[in-house]
């Protein structure tokens, strides 16, 4: 098949239980909708990465060695006693679908070196398979939907089908959990498992063993040959699976592709290859240009009007294949951010710094390939994350408390010394920040903070699914009690203690500090218990109003971000309102109307804001992606716009609800650049390298 130079790949902490068999027509409708979504997303990625411009590069393959292939009797599904001849896995038109459909077991392993076109080929395989289903006049819902899964994120201790269901829910937010489980269980999904070699270490062996146990499950698996070969040597080949291996790109095809883009720009290189084919430069160029990835990057760097001359590739420092490949990767990001026909507010040097930080962020998260907006702060240590959340919530409380206190003082005409007010608000903010830091710690212990995949609807929500709603109600009520009680009592104790101490220091109260603390504790205890109960009940009742996000409203990372923001704001507006009324009423009965209104507004605001920031995926994005990391210079202030722009430029690719770098090789090279700059910038300090170019 002819394809181009670009590459594509494709979770969710959701407990999924396969419910009783759903109606077939519901499955058909869900499968058909999923097929349309898959086709639309993959076609969009092809367009973004310019896979068909200016011409398509051919990708060739051959049958893999016998030791990497299962027994032909198992592949052909014939009795072991019957003769089973090898299948012809070649195809003159390069049609991987045709090869796959000739395999009775429908299990195929696609091997090749990094950048050889495995991911692009699997993406094209999915599109071709969907197109053939339409051309054959077969209704889409009667066939399995090909879905690309980035298998590098799979921990084989989780059953494959359960993991696939979680990935479907993550990447297709409009798909209900029971339906996703049904589609996987009933084989309405054809898994394209991309990146077996990216599974970490010993887990790779367990993963291959687990995949072999699913011998009746049709699939397509991709991997670099060495990693797959090492695993096969210890566990045996994937059961019932044939295997093919991609071949290097012929030099004449690569040079024809480059010269078609800009013939004059490549004259020096073409002359060297023609006139001195045995020179060190020609040898290195031949090796590097044998992979579609490097041909595509070379075309971008030297044929895109960047002003660079391809004669650079013939200089002495680049006479090894490794040095030449690194040179092209290092020039890629500056080139795509410095296009003369595309002026941008993103400075190339600044963009290189931000992308390097994001690549290093993934490295610190265990060499992950998936860049999720809700995990943008996960590379920070847990203690640091908790402290940052506490700091942001504490500052929010300080600002709100200051404004309301000033309003009440103007209303009542009271005068308060400024140092006293400053100490009181500072102590209260510290206590509130500590309380929400504790809440965030407990939330992390319950599992990763994931984006909500629901929206709130008063009519037609989830009332027709009573079992699910009752379960969600119980879980929400429990979580509300645990988190609310822990944070409430820490906040209660701290506020009572801080207020009592400061009031006693400034104004010797009758009965002394102990009586003040006891009186405050009794009042605070009643209010906190009432608030925790109402808060838990409110969180639980919201389960009745939840409905799945519309598919079109959650297509892609930023669409899911926007949908999640709307849901979170609605949820915590309600919880903050309920909490504020409860606490304000109790405080007003004890201390007067003015103090009650002030306390209710402050408490409701902080509970809403603090809860959203400490407990939700969108809140984590706000704390780290919009506040902390831009403040420390790691990300631009318009981080979401930067990610979208990087995707448009082909540096990132969109895989469901997450981004990935265009290729793992580019990500690794960006990490290398970060580490080199760090060592060269400050060899004797542990501080972060300076950001030389501020973001406009």
């Amino acid at each position: 098949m002819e394809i181009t130079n670009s590459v594509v790949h494709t979770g969710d902490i959701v407990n999924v239980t396969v419910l009783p068999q759903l109606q077939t027509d519901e499955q058909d409708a869900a499968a058909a909708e999923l097929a349309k979504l898959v086709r639309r997303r993959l076609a969009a990625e092809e367009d973004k990465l310019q896979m068909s411009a200016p011409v398509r590069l051919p990708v060739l393959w051959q049958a893999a060695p016998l030791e990497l292939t299962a027994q032909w009797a198992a592949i052909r599904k014939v009795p072991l006693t019957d003769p089973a001849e090898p299948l012809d896995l070649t195809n003159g038109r390069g049609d991987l679908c045709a090869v796959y459909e000739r395999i009775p077991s429908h299990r195929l392993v696609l091997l090749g070196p990094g950048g050889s076109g495995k991911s692009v080929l699997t993406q094209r395989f999915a599109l071709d398979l969907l197109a053939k289903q339409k051309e054959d006049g077969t209704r889409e819902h009667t066939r399995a939907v090909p879905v690309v899964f980035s298998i590098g994120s799979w921990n084989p201790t989780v059953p494959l089908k359960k993991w696939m269901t979680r990935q479907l829910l993550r990447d297709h937010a409009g798909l209900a959990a029971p339906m996703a489980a049904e589609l996987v269980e009933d084989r309405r999904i054809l898994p394209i498992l991309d990146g077996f070699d990216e599974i970490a270490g010993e887990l790779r062996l367990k993963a291959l063993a687990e995949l072999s146990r699913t011998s009746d499950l049709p699939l397509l698996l991709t991997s670099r040959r060495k990693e797959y070969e090492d695993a096969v040597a210890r566990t045996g080949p994937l059961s019932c699976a044939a295997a093919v291996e991609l071949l290097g790109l012929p030099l004449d095809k690569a040079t024809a592709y480059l010269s078609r883009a800009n013939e004059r720009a490549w004259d020096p290189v073409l002359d060297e290859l023609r006139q001195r084919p045995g020179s060190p430069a020609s040898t290195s160029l031949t090796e590097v240009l044998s992979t579609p990835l490097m041909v595509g990057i070379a075309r971008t760097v030297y044929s895109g009007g960047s002003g660079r001359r391809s004669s650079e590739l013939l200089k002495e420092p680049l006479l090894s294949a490794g040095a030449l490949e690194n040179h092209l990767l290092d020039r890629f990001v500056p080139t795509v951010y410095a296009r003369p026909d595309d002026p941008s507010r993103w400075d190339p040097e600044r963009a290189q710094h931000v992308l390097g930080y994001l690549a290093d962020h993934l490295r610190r998260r265990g060499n992950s390939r998936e860049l999720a907006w809700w995990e943008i702060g996960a590379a920070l240590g847990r203690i640091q994350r908790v402290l940052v959340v506490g700091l942001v919530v504490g500052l929010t409380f300080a600002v709100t408390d200051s404004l309301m206190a000033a309003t009440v003082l103007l209303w009542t005409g009271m005068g308060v010394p400024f140092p006293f007010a400053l100490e009181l608000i500072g102590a209260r903010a510290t206590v509130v920040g500590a309380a929400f830091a504790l809440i965030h710690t407990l939330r992390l212990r319950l599992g990763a903070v994931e984006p909500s995949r629901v929206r709130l609807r008063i009519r037609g929500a989830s009332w027709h699914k009573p079992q699910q709603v009752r379960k969600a109600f119980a879980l929400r009520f429990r979580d509300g009690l645990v988190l609310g009680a822990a944070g409430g009592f820490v906040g209660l104790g701290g506020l009572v203690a801080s207020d009592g101490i400061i009031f006693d220091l400034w104004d010797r109260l009758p009965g002394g500090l102990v009586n003040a603390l006891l009186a405050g504790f009794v009042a605070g205890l009643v209010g906190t218990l009432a608030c925790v109960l109402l808060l838990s009940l409110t969180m639980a009742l919201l389960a009745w109003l939840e409905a799945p996000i519309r598919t079109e409203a959650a297509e892609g990372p930023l669409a899911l971000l926007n949908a999640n923001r709307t849901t979170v704001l609605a949820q915590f507006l309600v919880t903050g309102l309920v909490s504020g009324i409860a606490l304000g009423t109790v405080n007003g009965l004890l201390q007067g109307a003015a103090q009650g209104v002030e306390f209710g507004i402050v408490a409701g605001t902080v509970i809403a804001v603090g809860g959203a920031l400490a407990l939700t995926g969108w809140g984590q994005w706000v704390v780290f992606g919009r506040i902390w990391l831009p403040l420390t210079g790691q990300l631009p202030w318009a981080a979401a716009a930067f990610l979208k722009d990087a995707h448009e430029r082909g540096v990132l690719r969109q895989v469901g609800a997450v981004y990935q770098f265009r290729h793992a090789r580019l990500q690794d090279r960006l990490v290398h650049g970060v580490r080199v700059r760090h060592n060269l910038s400050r060899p004797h300090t542990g501080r972060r390298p300076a950001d030389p170019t501020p973001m406009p």
Side-chain angles (χ1 to χ4, degrees):
M1 175 200 321
E2 288 192 336
I3 61 175
T4 62
N5 52 312
S6 306
V7 193
V8 182
H9 286 294
T10 277
D12 191 354
I13 310 302
V14 177
N15 292 322
V16 177
T17 302
V18 180
L19 297 178
Q21 180 69 34
L22 299 175
Q23 294 296 325
T24 303
D25 56 347
E26 292 182 0
Q27 278 195 12
D28 291 345
E33 183 65 26
L34 181 60
K36 293 178 183 177
L37 182 58
V38 168
R39 183 188 301 110
R40 187 161 60 244
R41 286 181 176 179
L42 294 182
E45 283 305 297
E46 273 199 335
D47 182 61
K48 286 284 191 304
L49 296 182
Q50 298 179 332
M51 294 180 183
S52 59
V55 292
R56 289 187 176 182
L57 282 168
V59 174
L60 309 176
W61 63 80
Q62 64 183 7
L66 290 178
E67 61 268 20
L68 302 180
T69 303
Q71 294 183 355
W72 285 109
I75 296 171
R76 303 191 73 151
K77 292 190 170 183
V78 299
L80 293 176
T81 55
D82 292 353
E85 295 296 325
L87 292 168
D88 180 12
L89 300 180
T90 61
N91 187 275
R93 295 182 297 121
D95 188 348
L96 189 62
C97 285
V99 171
Y100 181 82
E101 289 174 348
R102 288 204 301 267
I103 301 172
S105 66
H106 295 299
R107 288 165 70 85
L108 177 64
V109 178
L110 180 63
L111 303 174
S116 60
K118 298 185 300 295
S119 296
V120 171
L121 191 56
T122 56
Q123 189 165 333
R124 174 46 54 185
F125 167 81
L127 285 169
D128 287 346
L129 190 60
L130 290 170
K132 285 186 176 183
Q133 291 175 5
K134 292 188 69 175
E135 290 171 4
D136 293 343
T138 306
R139 292 188 301 169
E140 289 179 2
H141 61 255
T142 64
R143 303 284 293 274
V145 180
V147 178
V148 180
F149 296 93
S150 187
I151 197 175
S153 64
W154 178 40
N155 185 330
T157 57
V158 177
L160 178 65
K161 291 182 178 180
K162 185 174 183 180
W163 175 79
M164 287 169 53
T165 302
R166 292 177 176 178
Q167 295 294 100
L168 280 176
L169 292 174
R170 186 199 71 176
D171 294 337
H172 307 280
L175 194 61
M179 180 61 73
E182 284 284 337
L183 292 176
V184 171
E185 191 66 31
D186 293 346
R187 298 184 189 174
R188 305 297 295 272
I189 303 296
L190 172 61
I192 301 174
L193 306 174
D194 189 23
F196 173 80
D197 53 282
E198 294 176 1
I199 299 176
E202 290 296 317
L203 291 179
R204 203 176 296 135
L205 302 178
K206 297 179 181 179
L208 185 56
E210 178 68 21
L211 289 173
S212 290
R213 279 192 283 271
T214 63
S215 58
D216 59 341
L217 176 68
L219 58 82
L220 174 64
L221 177 71
T222 77
S223 177
R224 299 189 186 192
R225 173 170 170 168
K226 183 181 183 305
E227 286 78 2
Y228 182 74
E229 194 171 31
D230 291 345
V232 166
R234 299 175 62 180
T235 65
L238 179 63
S239 62
C240 304
V244 296
E245 183 175 12
L246 295 182
L247 301 174
L249 185 66
L251 183 61
D252 60 334
K253 300 293 185 183
T255 54
Y257 177 85
L258 293 173
S259 61
R260 180 78 64 90
N262 189 333
E263 185 173 0
R264 290 187 176 182
W266 288 96
D267 280 347
V269 169
L270 298 178
D271 290 343
E272 178 74 17
L273 291 171
R274 282 193 297 261
Q275 298 171 13
R276 290 173 290 278
S279 69
S282 293
T283 302
S284 298
L285 282 166
T286 300
E287 181 178 345
V288 170
L289 296 179
S290 66
T291 61
L293 171 69
M294 299 314 300
V295 173
I297 289 181
R299 171 183 170 269
T300 299
V301 173
Y302 291 104
S303 302
S306 64
R308 300 183 185 276
R309 297 188 177 184
S310 63
S311 56
E312 291 179 357
L313 303 176
L314 305 176
K315 294 180 180 179
E316 186 172 347
L318 303 180
L319 295 186
S320 71
L324 185 58
E325 184 175 310
N326 290 337
H327 169 81
L328 290 172
L329 290 168
D330 290 341
R331 296 293 185 275
F332 176 69
V333 170
T335 299
V336 299
Y337 278 93
R339 295 171 180 165
D341 59 339
D342 181 27
S344 171
R345 63 195 179 105
W346 310 111
D347 178 82
E349 190 174 355
R350 171 62 171 164
Q352 182 94 8
H353 170 82
V354 174
L355 292 167
Y357 172 79
L358 293 174
D360 194 53
H361 153 79
L362 296 178
R363 178 191 65 82
R364 285 178 280 134
R365 292 192 56 240
N367 288 322
S368 172
R369 300 298 182 192
E370 297 182 340
L371 181 60
W373 54 261
W374 60 90
E375 295 178 340
I376 202 71
L380 302 176
R382 176 166 291 194
I383 294 178
Q384 186 177 359
R385 291 176 63 188
V386 167
L387 290 176
V388 170
V389 170
L391 175 64
V392 172
V393 176
L395 290 175
T396 301
F397 174 85
V399 171
T400 307
D401 196 25
S402 299
L403 292 175
M404 291 308 305
T407 302
V408 170
L409 292 177
L410 290 174
W411 182 9
T412 59
M414 296 173 57
V416 177
F418 179 75
F420 169 76
L422 189 63
E423 288 182 16
L424 183 63
I425 292 174
R428 288 178 172 179
T430 301
V431 169
V432 170
F436 277 95
L438 174 63
I439 289 174
H440 185 58
T441 301
L442 294 174
R443 179 62 187 85
L444 291 177
R445 290 187 177 277
L446 292 175
V449 181
E450 298 280 338
S452 171
R453 287 167 175 80
V454 298
R455 55 192 172 118
L456 299 184
R457 293 181 59 187
I458 297 178
R459 297 181 59 187
S462 303
W463 302 334
H464 62 291
K465 301 175 181 177
Q467 290 183 338
Q468 298 175 50
V469 173
R470 283 196 294 269
K471 183 177 180 180
F473 182 92
L475 290 175
R476 295 285 181 80
F477 190 79
R478 181 205 65 186
D479 291 347
L481 283 178
V482 172
L483 297 174
F489 285 119
V490 168
L492 163 69
L495 286 175
V496 168
S498 63
D499 283 10
I501 292 172
I502 292 173
F503 274 104
D504 187 65
L505 289 175
W506 279 88
D507 186 7
R508 296 294 178 181
L509 299 174
L513 178 62
V514 175
N515 287 344
L517 291 175
L518 288 175
F521 180 79
V522 172
L525 179 61
V526 174
T528 300
L529 289 175
C531 179
V532 169
L533 183 60
L534 286 173
L535 184 62
S536 302
L537 188 60
T538 302
M539 291 177 63
L541 288 173
L542 286 172
W544 258 278
L545 303 179
E546 292 179 353
I549 295 177
R550 295 186 305 274
T551 300
E552 66 275 11
E555 274 197 56
L558 300 187
L560 180 60
L561 171 64
N562 294 333
N564 191 225
R565 175 184 58 210
T566 301
T567 299
V568 168
L569 291 178
Q571 288 174 330
F572 283 90
L573 177 64
V574 175
T575 55
L577 184 64
V578 171
S579 303
I581 292 175
L583 288 173
T585 301
V586 172
N587 192 270
L589 292 174
L590 296 172
Q591 299 186 24
Q595 286 76 13
V597 171
E598 176 199 1
F599 189 74
I601 293 175
V602 172
T605 301
V606 172
I607 287 174
V609 174
L613 297 181
L615 299 176
T616 69
W618 176 76
Q620 293 300 281
W621 164 255
V622 171
V623 171
F624 296 103
R626 297 302 308 274
I627 298 176
W628 185 254
L629 293 176
L631 193 64
T632 57
Q634 304 289 17
L635 292 183
W637 290 105
F642 179 86
L643 293 176
K644 181 180 179 181
D645 183 75
H647 176 226
E648 295 287 339
R649 294 173 186 275
V651 180
L652 300 177
R653 59 189 179 189
Q654 179 181 309
V655 185
V658 300
Y659 288 115
Q660 291 180 347
F661 280 91
R662 176 172 181 158
H663 193 271
R665 187 72 181 87
L666 175 62
Q667 178 181 329
D668 295 340
R669 191 62 189 169
L670 287 167
V671 170
H672 173 78
V674 168
R675 302 178 80 173
V676 168
R677 288 196 302 272
H678 177 79
N679 291 334
L680 292 179
S681 299
R682 282 181 314 279
H684 303 298
T685 68
R687 299 169 60 190
R688 175 183 157 273
D691 184 2
T693 309
M695 175 65 69

